[in-house]
Amino acid sequence: MEKHKKILEYAISSLLRRTYRNLAVIVVFSFMVAVLSSVLFLTHSFKVEALNVLSDAPELIVQRISGGRHDLIPADYMKKIKEIFGVGEVIPRFWGYYYDRMTDSNYTLMGIDKNMRGLELLDGRMPTDSGECAIGKGVSDVRSAGIGGKMYLINSRGRVIAFKVVGVFTSGSNILTNDLVLLTKDSVKTFFGMPSGMATDIIVEVNNDYEEPFVISKIKELLPDTRPIMKREIIRTYDTVFSWRSGMILIMFFGALTAFCILAWDKATGLSDGERQEIGILKAIGWETSDILELKFWEGIVISLTSFLSGLILAYVHVFFFGASVFSPVLKGWSVLFPQFRLMPYISLYQVFIILFFTVVPYVASTIIPSWRAAITEPDSVMRG
Amino acid sequence: MDSVIKTYDIAKVFNPGMPDQIKAVTDISIEIERGGITVLKGPSGSGKTSLLSLIGCMSRPTSGRIIVNGKDVAKLPERFLTGIRRSTFGFVFQHFNLISGISVIENIMLPLYPSDIKLSSIRKRVESIMENLGISGKKDFSVQRLSGGEQQRVAIARSLINEPEVILADEPTAHLDSKLSEDLKDIFVTLQKEGKTIIIATHDPIIHEGGFAGRVIEMRDGMVKEVTVE
Ligand SMILES: Nc1ncnc2c1ncn2[C@@H]1O[C@H](COP(=O)(O)OP(=O)(O)OP(=O)(O)O)[C@@H](O)[C@H]1O
Ligand SMILES: [Mg+2]
């Protein structure tokens, strides 16, 4: 015990002797860990968020497609769907996107309905009157509008409409509520100037999951201009988008990895004469090969764990406090989709372990192996300086 | 004679079979008396350092036998030699081989780091050795800032820390003036009185002349030319 403590102490003092060199290693190493962890934190949190959102989302949504694009759906489609065997409730939804020039951000305006899930009010209540609204935390922040305040929105006829804010949603609950402006059904309809008898899309509840494929094919048969969207399909789409995004950033990561490999390679291919000499001296004065390997092991561990932890912290701060701002050029899509959004920190231990394994282990190995080769040879050469 | 080390026809060939093959040591059979001072003398390139390195288990002979305290070490693998070096020998190298960047006291303690002795008791031991060698004032200096003579004493202190039976010193006066060389001789005499065996390789007359050494082994071209016993 005493022995290992002394060797560890000597390892640290050895590292401090080559301050600049080791500092350079730590900087490069931490940077690499930070990039890798940022990517993983970011995609993982997006994924968790998305799945949270989707777990509250309806199982099946029916949209109408016209000219290849999503269009308003006639309310009488509902009757036909309702008659299909296995279908439970059929609910129309009224919503639309709203671009706010003042704050350069996008909101989702949605009409309230009783079946909405996953909405947690931070404060206040749901809108009941056509002049009222409840807003997401993100909207509340950019417009600096709280309860009792007013939201001014320009409707489809170019008129400014004032809505009284009666509720604010918690920021944490999910991505969707962040940019949400919840109105009554009727005010959404008049705001967007939707013709009566039309809805944005339709939620279809299917009594049994296994009946879903049947219901879908039946809907397509009866109403050829519709597109039924299953929740499961959305999850798949999200997945591919996420992988594509992280793929982009992984390219950056590999840049950093290359730098790191050059560094490690440089270490692995040769000890400097000074290091070789020092190993010889230690052996000559009675250190065992195993003692020298332990010394090098500690050196490697100290450097790589320091880098690993600082890289991890850097990534955490970057992703969860600064919204991955370094990646924002690559993530342009997200910032439009989720303006002013602060991610919730979800970290998968498995991923942290993976990062640990792929950074610390190779580094420690690259420190030990060349020293091991020097340590098993006779220290005769130190006799001659 | 009670001998710590005996060699039987040891030879050391560098780069065997190559065009630049060198026979540094050729068939040397000598004995080192326990508790005595032995000097290896000879011109540069005569094989003093090579012989010292073989005796001190720093390298293994190409042929022959070396007996250290009754045990044949010539064929032992390197990992066993480390243990023998640690328990039997203290080295003072020609170029001191101190580790720069760490303090004097750390340099001296270094051989005992891989042991279970508490740092505080190592420190005590080091302090008394430094006191005896007259360098206790330099404890926290970094070694680059010491004079040649002081570095020499630090190197000697380091060779003593594991309480070795045998001290091997290679050209210990190379960096010292004649006054310091005389002081060094006194140090060696004191160590001998404490019961240490001392082997010095040198071509400095101050060491090998005037009856300081009990036994002088003169080398030439890797062979023993003459052994003088006082
Ligand atoms: N590692 C080595 N590889 C090849 N030749 C070597 C090696 N070490 C020593 N020699 C050669 O062996 C011979 C003896 O060298 P050694 O260092 O033992 O002499 P020395 O008597 O100590 O000389 P000096 O007084 O200059 O220190 C020399 O010719 C030297 O060049
Ligand atoms: Mg020599």
Side-chain angles (χ1 to χ4, degrees), chain A residues 380 384, chain B residues 14-15 22-24 42-51 94 170-171 203:
Chain A
D380 180 44
R384 279 167 244 272
Chain B
F14 289 107
N15 314 321
I22 290 173
K23 283 182 136 181
S44 181
S46 58
K48 303 183 294 292
T49 300
S50 303
L51 181 58
Q94 188 163 358
D170 196 3
E171 307 287 358
H203 53 233

Side-chain angles (χ1 to χ4, degrees), chain A residues 41-112:
Chain A
F41 285 175
L42 198 63
T43 48
H44 182 69
S45 297
F46 270 138
K47 227 175 223 172
V48 173
E49 290 275 7
L51 293 179
N52 274 353
V53 171
L54 287 171
S55 72
D56 294 326
E59 285 297 328
L60 183 61
I61 292 172
V62 179
Q63 295 180 341
R64 188 168 77 112
I65 301 299
S66 137
R69 306 192 58 214
H70 173 199
D71 205 349
L72 297 179
I73 191 163
D76 56 2
Y77 277 34
M78 287 167 55
K79 247 178 274 144
K80 285 190 181 160
I81 293 171
K82 184 116 188 149
E83 279 159 12
I84 297 169
F85 178 79
V87 171
E89 265 200 278
V90 179
I91 306 146
R93 291 201 305 183
F94 303 90
W95 58 273
Y97 294 121
Y98 178 84
Y99 171 71
D100 184 41
R101 199 170 318 158
M102 220 163 71
T103 56
D104 184 28
S105 46
N106 289 293
Y107 309 146
T108 304
L109 267 54
M110 189 172 266
I112 190 168

Side-chain angles (χ1 to χ4, degrees), chain A residues 157-271:
Chain A
R157 284 175 297 281
R159 284 193 33 217
V160 178
I161 314 279
F163 293 97
K164 192 176 161 214
V165 180
V166 295
V168 176
F169 299 109
T170 52
S171 62
S173 55
N174 62 42
I175 291 179
L176 281 193
T177 58
N178 196 57
D179 71 341
L180 188 66
V181 176
L182 201 65
L183 307 171
T184 60
K185 264 184 206 173
D186 290 337
S187 38
V188 171
K189 278 197 262 187
T190 45
F191 188 86
F192 287 121
M194 290 181 185
S196 65
M198 295 293 227
T200 309
D201 53 24
I202 295 170
I203 298 175
V204 177
E205 280 183 0
V206 181
N207 297 333
N208 291 305
D209 277 354
Y210 63 86
E211 282 171 350
E212 224 175 72
F214 167 76
V215 170
I216 286 170
S217 62
K218 201 74 193 161
I219 292 173
K220 275 188 183 154
E221 196 187 308
L222 289 171
L223 307 162
D225 63 342
T226 59
R227 179 173 66 176
I229 305 166
M230 268 193 294
K231 181 156 105 181
R232 257 173 281 152
E233 249 166 51
I234 303 176
I235 292 176
R236 236 194 336 267
T237 316
Y238 263 75
D239 249 2
T240 41
V241 171
F242 283 130
S243 335
W244 180 78
R245 294 277 176 200
S246 40
M248 294 288 288
I249 308 169
L250 277 177
I251 293 168
M252 289 162 79
F253 162 64
F254 277 115
L257 186 67
T258 314
F260 175 68
C261 285
I262 292 168
L263 207 104
W265 177 247
D266 176 55
K267 283 195 69 155
T269 45
L271 298 174

Side-chain angles (χ1 to χ4, degrees), chain B residues 17-131:
Chain B
M18 308 291 241
D20 58 347
Q21 165 174 325
I22 290 173
K23 283 182 136 181
V25 170
T26 310
D27 300 336
I28 289 186
S29 303
I30 51 165
E31 278 184 60
I32 307 292
E33 188 190 4
R34 192 183 301 278
I37 296 180
T38 304
V39 167
L40 304 174
K41 80 165 189 180
S44 181
S46 58
K48 303 183 294 292
T49 300
S50 303
L51 181 58
L52 211 57
S53 155
L54 289 171
I55 291 175
C57 299
M58 295 280 276
S59 60
R60 285 177 300 166
T62 317
S63 62
R65 292 194 297 145
I66 303 176
I67 314 292
V68 175
N69 279 327
K71 190 174 179 186
D72 189 351
V73 297
K75 303 239 149 32
L76 285 182
E78 165 59 22
R79 62 177 185 281
F80 293 112
L81 293 181
T82 318
I84 294 173
R85 279 201 295 275
R86 195 214 300 259
S87 60
T88 316
F89 298 106
F91 291 89
V92 182
F93 303 99
Q94 188 163 358
H95 304 277
F96 307 144
N97 281 333
L98 299 174
I99 291 178
S100 53
I102 60 175
S103 68
V104 165
I105 190 160
E106 276 182 290
N107 258 287
I108 302 174
M109 293 191 298
L110 208 48
L112 288 185
Y113 276 9
S115 70
D116 278 318
I117 307 170
K118 270 219 162 63
L119 204 61
S120 56
S121 35
I122 299 177
R123 200 173 277 272
K124 241 177 244 141
R125 202 190 287 185
V126 170
E127 275 162 4
S128 89
I129 291 172
M130 290 180 84
E131 186 75 53

